[in-house]
Amino acid sequence: MRIGVLTGGGDCPGLNAVIRSVVRKAIDGYGDQVVGFRDGWRGVLEDSCHELTVESTRGILPRGGTILGSSRTNPYKRDDGAAQVRATLDLHELDGLIAIGGEDTLGAANRLHADGVNVIGVPKTIDNDLGATDVTFGFDTALQVATDAIDRLHTTAESHNRILVVEVMGRSAGWIALHCGLAGGADVILIPEIPFDIDEVCGLIRRRHERGRYFSIVVAAEGATPKEGTTMTVDAGASVDEFGHVRLGGIGRQLERAIEERTGFETRATVLGHVQRGGTPTAFDRVLATRLGLAAIDAAHDGAWGMMTALRATQIELVALADAVAEVRRVPVGEYRRYGVLFG
Ligand code: F6P
């Protein structure tokens, strides 16, 4: 078989582990040939690719990022995008593609499958917001980075009797915020799923002061929104990617100002940003990514086009790409509320 591989969307730790396991199993297990496309769907549309070998993928397992590069290119934003994808596959005599990505890359993969392209998906994203899989690789690493940051902020917050606001990624899902907030013992956790009331936030902080704790950690997801307002963007929504996503950011600074004004307590914001996506994957993410990659090449040999490899409980299973991208998986409100007793 001849198989193409691409990584699309925001990069995340573990992408190289998938590439490595796909290449190893394809070549040594099946005698296949593997072609890597540069920069996600852009490489397929513009025919930018090279052969991947066992030798060229050695040593990449612990490396963050992706040796193939990534982009947020949407084939359906180009005239005849699907036809161009088919033409590139024909040109290289590829039997199919393995697309490693999140909701956007896999959403495009799902449409391309309907348009006659043989494609198998592998789920990735630090946001952990894909349906049909229990967890995505990249999430565990982002969580560890954010938790380490909270631990560090804790000691300086306490030394200076300050309120420290930590803004984390996650787009419209609060998984990173909720989990790093719980792991780091945050006093307030704000997630996009539940618009927050700034007076309640300040109430929790004041209560800590009344109880003799003169510092607080507030974790805010980048997509957290005040009840009375709308999602805050970097430049009034001017920056929108090819999949229609507004660039989020800014809630941390807004909270810094609002909390200090209302409580009079000295407040500082830290925006963790892309630190959460960079660097070496955790052992959990390396193993999950490896298992998903091995299953993807098996699926190609089984002709399971239009499917995605997924973690269900402890097993890797195949699910329909359509199910995975049907809707963004967000934090259930009931689950968040269960932790309310830990706040403040
Ligand atoms: O989807 C992953 C993610 O890191 C989001 O959490 C974040 O909103 C977005 O990508 C940032 O995208 P970019 O790297 O294009 O700024």
Side-chain angles (χ1 to χ4, degrees):
M1 244 184 172
R2 282 178 56 78
I3 295 285
V5 183
L6 65 87
T7 53
D11 71 342
C12 90
L15 287 168
N16 286 326
V18 182
I19 296 167
R20 170 181 172 270
S21 67
V22 165
V23 169
R24 282 285 176 99
K25 181 130 197 203
I27 295 174
D28 286 349
Y30 289 109
D32 294 339
Q33 289 160 328
V34 186
V35 169
F37 286 95
R38 290 289 312 166
D39 303 336
W41 292 116
R42 187 193 299 153
V44 185
L45 294 168
E46 297 172 5
D47 187 23
S48 171
C49 63
H50 59 278
E51 195 184 342
L52 293 174
T53 64
V54 171
E55 285 66 37
S56 71
T57 53
R58 275 197 207 287
I60 64 172
L61 173 66
R63 272 172 55 191
T66 160
I67 59 164
L68 292 176
S70 195
S71 74
R72 297 195 188 277
T73 303
N74 182 352
Y76 287 95
K77 285 284 174 191
R78 309 274 175 109
D79 294 339
D80 284 338
Q84 280 178 52
V85 170
R86 282 195 301 268
T88 304
L89 263 64
D90 288 347
L91 180 68
H92 295 282
E93 298 179 337
L94 295 174
D95 297 286
L97 268 178
I98 292 178
I100 312 166
E103 53 155 334
D104 298 331
T105 302
L106 298 184
N110 185 42
R111 287 182 69 178
L112 285 163
H113 172 65
D115 285 336
V117 175
N118 287 345
V119 60
I120 284 165
V122 176
K124 69 88 221 180
T125 167
I126 64 164
D127 301 339
N128 200 32
D129 60 354
L130 262 176
T133 185
D134 289 353
V135 69
T136 54
F137 71 83
F139 174 62
D140 187 64
T141 307
L143 195 54
Q144 194 56 55
V145 171
T147 303
D148 288 346
I150 293 173
D151 287 347
R152 288 174 186 280
L153 292 168
H154 239 122
T155 59
T156 174
E158 188 166 10
S159 304
H160 288 269
N161 290 332
R162 280 174 174 160
I163 316 306
L164 287 185
V165 179
V166 191
E167 180 183 310
V168 298
M169 283 185 165
R171 206 167 254 164
S172 63
W175 295 109
I176 298 177
L178 178 63
H179 284 238
C180 75
L182 289 174
D187 305 295
V188 180
I189 301 174
L190 305 177
I191 62 173
E193 289 82 349
I194 306 171
F196 64 86
D197 180 332
I198 187 66
D199 293 324
E200 281 172 20
V201 171
C202 293
L204 287 169
I205 293 168
R206 277 199 206 92
R207 195 178 70 176
R208 272 176 62 79
H209 274 242
E210 284 155 22
R211 291 173 169 178
R213 304 294 277 164
Y214 301 114
F215 70 96
S216 292
I217 300 290
V218 177
V219 173
E222 62 183 357
T225 321
K227 260 183 190 160
E228 63 272 26
T230 53
T231 303
M232 296 152 204
T233 59
V234 168
D235 51 5
S239 183
V240 176
D241 70 20
E242 288 195 11
F243 291 91
H245 297 297
V246 169
R247 199 162 127 203
L248 294 170
I251 188 68
R253 296 262 174 256
Q254 302 222 14
L255 282 164
E256 176 188 81
R257 279 193 295 275
I259 292 170
E260 193 165 285
E261 265 169 32
R262 284 173 167 77
T263 63
F265 304 145
E266 206 181 356
T267 308
R268 297 278 194 278
T270 299
V271 181
L272 291 188
H274 292 81
V275 170
Q276 294 159 95
R277 268 188 11 208
T280 188
T282 58
F284 177 88
D285 279 339
R286 293 181 204 188
V287 174
L288 176 57
T290 298
R291 294 175 73 198
L292 292 168
L294 294 175
I297 193 71
D298 287 342
H301 278 267
D302 290 342
W305 310 114
M307 304 297 276
M308 181 187 88
T309 57
L311 182 69
R312 309 295 286 262
T314 59
Q315 301 300 312
I316 303 296
E317 296 180 5
L318 288 182
V319 298
L321 267 172
D323 290 342
V325 299
E327 61 184 70
V328 171
R329 197 171 65 88
R330 307 177 84 201
V331 175
V333 170
E335 180 173 344
Y336 174 86
R337 299 235 189 268
R338 194 174 310 137
Y339 303 118
V341 68
L342 302 170
F343 303 158

